[in-house]
Amino acid sequence: VSLSFSSEVTSDVTWDDSLLIGLEGALLGCAYYLLSCQSCGQAVGFILYSSGSDLAYLRGLFCFFKDSIICYLLKSQMIIEASKVNFPAVTLQE
């Protein structure tokens, strides 16, 4: 799963107060809140609540599934899937 990270979101992204537990994959054993699009209801990412030390740096961040996001490119005025956009690598210190 390809992810993009943010420290804030718009009001179009909502999450339920219920914690989910990962039963397989990268989130196995992790507790998280599922992020959804308010317009269509599709799952667009998660907020990690608890995890092992290997994912601790993601706790509290909004983690988005790039396959679920559409981007608007200002320079070319095009709409494109986020999975096709090259996001620059950043560290949490930035």
Side-chain angles (χ1 to χ4, degrees):
V1 174
S2 184
L3 295 174
S4 178
F5 310 102
S6 176
S7 59
E8 57 187 72
V9 294
T10 70
S11 61
D12 295 323
V13 176
T14 62
W15 63 90
D16 192 42
D17 288 338
S18 301
L19 275 174
L20 301 174
I21 304 296
L23 300 176
E24 61 184 16
L27 296 179
L28 177 65
C30 297
Y32 61 93
Y33 297 102
L34 191 64
L35 297 173
S36 301
C37 171
Q38 185 170 325
S39 298
C40 68
Q42 180 177 347
V44 294
F46 60 90
I47 302 171
L48 195 58
Y49 180 78
S50 68
S51 69
S53 60
D54 57 332
L55 296 178
Y57 67 99
L58 295 177
R59 290 184 201 145
L61 291 178
F62 295 90
C63 304
F64 293 98
F65 308 130
K66 287 175 70 174
D67 291 348
S68 300
I69 299 173
I70 302 292
C71 295
Y72 181 76
L73 304 176
L74 294 174
K75 196 171 201 174
S76 62
Q77 298 179 345
M78 292 178 54
I79 296 174
I80 188 169
E81 294 177 16
S83 60
K84 297 179 180 174
V85 176
N86 184 18
F87 291 93
V90 296
T91 65
L92 296 179
Q93 288 78 26
E94 295 178 7

